[in-house]
């Protein structure tokens, strides 16, 4: 019997586990993610979030995707585990926690969490290139926001089937993306508000929301016509599951961006996972 909390941030849902005592080894957590994230057969989720001790911060966040792989970072997941850590007295309202992508800072004002994602480097990324996929050419960009993100701009919203087809193809293009990539479809002409749908690596499907994807989409949209004309920008990124508010502060060097992500978190349920649901 494993105690769990089910949470979601803008429809990006997670099973959250307390591993502060270290009772669950990584191999178990990877298997548990595959078993318990199955929809309709088990509890179902996009991934498993795990709170562990950290020598450098209030706690460590680990993320196991639905396919069992361990992810570096997830924006909506980070907001959820920050709220979880606050509610469970693991950390205070203002907190720092470790991830494979570095230290994150968060401020909890339940149910909202403002996640400071630190500095996003534009070096190593590329922007506004034509990318031909499955008989269609997109204007595309690529950068890392904790994890790799390809951003494809669309004139109109593609069908779900088309986004899955293109997302799966791009995600597995090892020539362009040796580590794979999340694929974000962005549509809408505005800069203050855009729409974005993400095909997530590790989930291997479209998700209702992606925090790092929202951040990548906002950055690439503002860079679509060159360097942003204002140093600080606030962009509402509308995902199928809700709105992520992204605040971006562009460095004077033009190669760095300070990013924060604010949105609502929801504690859906608490209970126990049983062996039967594996």
């Amino acid at each position: 019997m494993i105690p769990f909390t089910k949470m979601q941030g803008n429809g990006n849902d997670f099973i959250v586990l307390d591993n502060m005592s270290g009772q669950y080894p990584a191999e178990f957590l990877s298997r548990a993610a595959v078993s318990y994230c199955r929809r309709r057969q088990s509890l179902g989720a996009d991934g498993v979030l795990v709170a562990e001790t950290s020598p450098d911060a209030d706690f460590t966040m680990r993320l196991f995707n639905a396919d069992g792989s361990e992810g570096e970072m997830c924006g909506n997941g980070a907001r959820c585990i920050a709220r979880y850590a606050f509610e469970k007295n693991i950390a205070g309202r203002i907190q720092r926690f470790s991830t494979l992508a570095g230290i994150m800072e968060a401020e909890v004002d339940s149910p909202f969490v403002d996640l400071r994602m630190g500095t996003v480097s534009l070096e190593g990324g590329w922007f506004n290139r034509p990318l031909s996929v499955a008989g269609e050419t997109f204007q595309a960009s690529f950068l890392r926001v904790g994890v790799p993100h390809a951003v494809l701009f669309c004139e109109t919203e593609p069908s779900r089937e088309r986004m899955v087809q293109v997302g799966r193809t791009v995600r597995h293009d090892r020539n362009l993306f040796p580590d794979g990539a999340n694929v974000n479809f962005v549509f809408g002409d505005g800069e203050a508000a855009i729409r974005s749908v993400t095909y997530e690596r590790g989930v291997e499907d479209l998700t209702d929301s992606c925090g790092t994807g929202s951040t990548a989409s906002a950055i690439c949209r503002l860079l679509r016509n060159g360097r942003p004309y204002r140093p600080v920008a606030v962009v509402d990124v509308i995902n199928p599951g809700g709105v992520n508010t992204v605040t971006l502060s562009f460095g004077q060097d033009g190669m760095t961006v300070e990013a924060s992500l604010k949105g609502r978190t929801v504690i859906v349920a608490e209970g126990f996972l049983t062996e039967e649901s594996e």
Side-chain angles (χ1 to χ4, degrees):
M1 300 283 283
I2 301 170
F4 77 91
T5 299
K6 181 72 181 291
M7 299 188 70
Q8 61 96 350
N10 283 348
N12 205 185
D13 62 336
F14 306 93
I15 299 166
V16 190
L17 304 180
D18 183 342
N19 197 29
M20 297 296 286
S21 64
Q23 70 269 41
Y24 306 129
E27 297 79 7
F28 167 80
L29 293 169
S30 176
R31 294 196 309 271
V34 173
S35 297
Y36 295 126
C37 288
R38 296 173 300 162
R39 301 197 185 275
R40 292 176 295 278
Q41 297 180 7
S42 189
L43 185 60
D46 291 327
V48 172
L49 298 171
V50 185
E52 297 185 349
T53 59
S54 169
D56 306 313
D58 294 309
F59 64 96
T60 293
M61 165 187 150
R62 298 183 73 179
L63 164 68
F64 292 87
N65 295 308
D67 65 356
S69 62
E70 185 166 5
E72 301 96 323
M73 171 57 182
C74 171
N76 287 327
R79 289 193 300 105
C80 284
I81 205 167
R83 166 94 185 274
Y84 174 86
F86 172 70
E87 301 290 352
K88 300 297 182 181
N89 297 315
I90 294 171
R93 189 174 67 85
I94 297 174
Q95 54 186 252
R96 300 171 71 251
F97 55 96
S98 303
T99 73
L100 290 177
I103 297 288
M104 301 293 151
E105 297 181 350
E107 183 173 348
V108 181
D109 184 16
S110 299
F112 293 94
V113 176
D114 191 354
L115 176 70
R116 298 171 183 86
M117 303 173 70
T119 302
V120 177
S121 174
L122 304 184
E123 291 194 24
W126 46 264
F127 302 91
N128 307 319
R129 296 183 185 176
L131 180 64
S132 296
V133 187
E136 186 174 356
T137 299
F138 299 88
Q139 186 183 42
S141 297
F142 170 78
L143 79 166
R144 284 183 173 270
V145 182
V147 293
H149 279 279
V151 178
L152 278 56
F153 292 97
C154 311
E155 291 186 6
T156 59
E157 182 176 358
S159 67
R160 174 181 174 82
E161 293 74 16
R162 182 62 172 164
M163 286 190 282
V164 169
Q165 177 193 25
V166 172
R168 188 168 292 153
T169 301
V170 173
R171 178 259 185 273
H172 289 289
D173 188 336
R174 296 295 181 177
N175 292 322
L176 276 177
F177 313 112
D179 299 325
N182 298 286
V183 184
N184 307 275
F185 298 88
V186 176
F187 33 94
D189 295 328
E191 289 189 351
I194 61 174
R195 297 183 64 85
S196 179
V197 179
T198 303
Y199 182 96
E200 285 204 45
R201 179 188 67 165
V203 180
E204 305 309 330
D205 201 353
L206 303 181
T207 58
D208 280 349
S209 182
C210 178
T212 56
S214 292
T215 305
S217 296
I219 292 172
C220 292
R221 177 65 188 88
L222 291 173
L223 293 174
R224 191 175 180 185
N225 298 319
R227 186 174 176 179
Y229 61 85
R230 57 191 185 278
V232 178
V234 179
V235 183
D236 284 335
V237 183
I238 304 165
N239 301 147
V243 178
N244 279 319
T245 299
V246 179
T247 302
L248 303 171
S249 299
F250 289 84
Q252 292 185 353
D253 59 2
M255 296 306 297
T256 57
V257 186
E258 295 292 325
S260 69
L261 176 75
K262 185 173 183 179
R264 187 169 180 262
T265 61
V266 177
I267 297 174
V268 177
E270 293 189 317
F272 295 90
L273 295 163
T274 69
E275 292 183 0
E276 288 186 38
S277 61
E278 291 183 358

